[in-house]
Amino acid sequence: QVQLVESGGGSVQAGGSLRLACTVSLNSPARLTTWAWFYQAPGKEREGVATIDTDGRNPNYADSVKGRFTISQDNAKKILYLQMNSLKLEDTAMYYCAATTSPAIIGSVFDRRHYFYWGQGTQVTVSS
């Protein structure tokens, strides 16, 4: 059993910052290999924001957030983070954390089909 719970969402003005967190509970012999953050705006597909291996290696970012967002994790506390700076109106979306047990990602790390486990999401709203 794997449970992911997001927190840290809210409403901010453009240019502001938020830090999202995802608490991970793993109660199975399965070994997670990659964590990810996705976002989904109303009427649109769920899209990848950032990914990182569970050992902290290989962070990846969508072009739209490079230089503004940072993905990180605290293995001891089993928490995944997404630091979001310089927020823009177009960042408004529901943000989800996700995880997979795949030993290696084939194709795009932002393909949501790679991820087996998902949180319920936390809303981020950016206003002017």
Side-chain angles (χ1 to χ4, degrees):
Q1 181 69 32
V2 177
Q3 294 184 346
L4 310 177
V5 180
E6 302 95 336
S7 63
S11 298
V12 298
Q13 290 190 304
S17 298
L18 285 173
R19 188 174 76 162
L20 307 184
C22 175
T23 299
V24 181
S25 177
L26 177 61
N27 297 304
S28 79
R31 292 292 184 181
L32 302 179
T33 56
T34 304
W35 308 114
W37 287 100
F38 283 72
Y39 73 114
Q40 185 171 22
K44 296 186 177 181
E45 294 283 340
R46 191 170 299 185
E47 299 181 353
V49 175
T51 71
I52 190 169
D53 291 345
T54 52
D55 61 4
R57 297 168 60 189
N58 195 32
N60 297 104
Y61 299 93
D63 289 341
S64 62
V65 306
K66 287 181 179 177
R68 298 190 298 121
F69 292 7
T70 302
I71 188 170
S72 62
Q73 61 176 211
D74 185 328
N75 285 326
K77 297 181 179 180
K78 299 186 185 301
I79 302 176
L80 176 71
Y81 297 101
L82 184 68
Q83 178 66 47
M84 305 187 295
N85 298 327
S86 302
L87 284 161
K88 303 176 179 179
L89 294 177
E90 50 264 45
D91 295 322
T92 294
M94 186 73 75
Y95 284 74
Y96 300 87
C97 59
T100 184
T101 58
S102 296
I105 298 294
I106 299 175
S108 174
V109 295
F110 299 118
D111 186 339
R112 62 184 183 275
R113 294 174 297 179
H114 291 304
Y115 299 93
F116 305 150
Y117 309 105
W118 296 84
Q120 295 300 305
T122 185
Q123 179 68 39
V124 171
T125 302
V126 184
S127 64
S128 61

